[in-house]
Amino acid sequence: MRIKLRQARIEKGLTQQQVADELYLSIRQYQRIETGKAQGSIDTWDRLEDLFNIPQRKLRESAEIHLSPEDSQ
């Protein structure tokens, strides 16, 4: 999950559909980018950077899930 991207969208008061429309993507395509299941094109990331006024490298950051040794058993 790209937490920074999701937070930026929510802070701007936009729905996933509104962002998808702004980027000329389907909502499913945008959801896959936001969840980290799809990379997105360079053009898409340029537009996201402009939309949220946040550097791409920050928006692209993914949340890592760390399991303790007990969780992996």
Side-chain angles (χ1 to χ4, degrees):
M1 166 94 39
R2 292 187 170 113
I3 299 296
K4 301 265 188 207
L5 180 56
R6 182 174 185 271
Q7 287 175 339
R9 176 181 59 78
I10 291 169
E11 287 176 11
K12 192 147 181 138
L14 298 173
T15 65
Q16 288 180 329
Q17 183 65 63
Q18 289 170 317
V19 174
D21 292 345
E22 183 75 27
L23 301 175
Y24 305 105
L25 299 174
S26 71
I27 188 170
R28 183 69 186 126
Q29 287 173 302
Y30 177 72
Q31 287 170 334
R32 290 180 51 78
I33 292 169
E34 190 173 286
T35 61
K37 293 179 181 175
Q39 291 299 315
S41 69
I42 292 170
D43 182 57
T44 296
W45 285 104
D46 286 345
R47 288 187 281 155
L48 283 166
E49 183 176 51
D50 292 343
L51 179 63
F52 297 124
N53 199 29
I54 297 173
Q56 293 178 38
R57 62 182 171 74
K58 289 286 188 190
L59 292 174
R60 289 177 181 255
E61 290 176 4
S62 295
E64 306 239 352
I65 299 173
H66 297 282
L67 297 177
S68 66
E70 298 82 33
D71 291 337
S72 62
Q73 294 180 1

